[in-house]
Amino acid sequence: MSKKVTEIVEQLVSPILEDMNLELVDIEFVKEGSNWFLRLFIDSETGIDIEECGIVSERLSEKLDELDPIQHNYFLEVSSPGAERPLKKESDIKKAIGKQVHIKTYEPINGEKVIEGVLTDFDGQTLTVTVTIKTRKKQVEIPYNKVAKARLAVTF
């Protein structure tokens, strides 16, 4: 059911975001405790502020009230994806070239299911990540179809 909700919400919010020059990063419809949450993560080239989140929330709320596609009571949250933004689409991964990434795979690559390093290339089929182990740098090639989750990583 949550897949159908996220698809409907994506159709409703897309024209709003296009109008505001914003991009949809992710949508979640999840139950936490006894409450349902509809969460949208939005962004732009220059970042996002609370005012833009508020406008998107207001406009989307109106559309959701009109159509009423969700049978549960829920909380609507619209926010920035944050510093550790998920990389959901191929275009997200391409934009992350040169940045620190955290990747979880469905099966081990060189004995590891979690790889963290700098994304140096992505050709649509394979991600190339430069991993630093102590003082050595090593290139790891990860088939795109083996990526379970990918996100930007914050390093200190």
Side-chain angles (χ1 to χ4, degrees):
M1 184 202 61
S2 64
K3 179 134 178 81
K4 190 173 189 318
V5 167
T6 57
E7 287 170 5
I8 291 167
V9 172
E10 185 170 355
Q11 288 172 350
L12 293 176
V13 79
S14 290
I16 296 167
L17 296 176
E18 260 177 53
D19 184 48
M20 296 176 67
N21 258 345
L22 301 174
E23 102 179 79
L24 179 64
V25 174
D26 201 6
I27 299 176
E28 296 178 341
F29 184 59
V30 293
K31 188 173 187 184
E32 293 177 3
S34 60
N35 297 314
W36 282 89
F37 291 87
L38 176 59
R39 293 191 179 107
L40 279 79
F41 299 94
I42 60 174
D43 209 353
S44 77
E45 291 294 321
T46 56
I48 202 90
D49 64 31
I50 191 120
E51 193 175 307
E52 289 166 310
C53 291
I55 292 167
V56 171
S57 179
E58 237 172 72
R59 289 187 184 174
L60 179 59
S61 264
E62 287 172 13
K63 296 253 185 231
L64 288 167
D65 289 346
E66 274 173 36
L67 279 178
D68 199 20
I70 304 171
Q71 58 211 15
H72 307 284
N73 289 333
Y74 61 92
F75 295 96
L76 174 62
E77 297 176 353
V78 178
S79 68
S80 152
E84 294 194 335
R85 171 191 172 136
L87 305 172
K88 294 277 190 174
K89 302 176 275 232
E90 283 189 36
S91 59
D92 296 336
I93 293 171
K94 284 184 175 138
K95 284 185 208 165
I97 291 173
K99 297 183 177 155
Q100 188 78 15
V101 294
H102 178 94
I103 298 169
K104 288 184 181 177
T105 57
Y106 291 114
E107 55 193 54
I109 309 283
N110 301 336
E112 301 290 331
K113 285 181 83 172
V114 175
I115 297 147
E116 206 164 293
V118 175
L119 180 64
T120 51
D121 191 32
F122 176 58
D123 63 9
Q125 304 282 312
T126 306
L127 292 84
T128 306
V129 178
T130 301
V131 178
T132 305
I133 302 160
K134 294 187 180 168
T135 57
R136 288 192 3 258
K137 289 187 185 301
K138 178 174 98 172
Q139 301 281 96
V140 179
E141 291 193 345
I142 306 162
Y144 182 55
N145 64 354
K146 302 282 189 245
V147 174
K149 281 188 171 185
R151 65 172 168 77
L152 293 177
V154 175
T155 53
F156 298 94

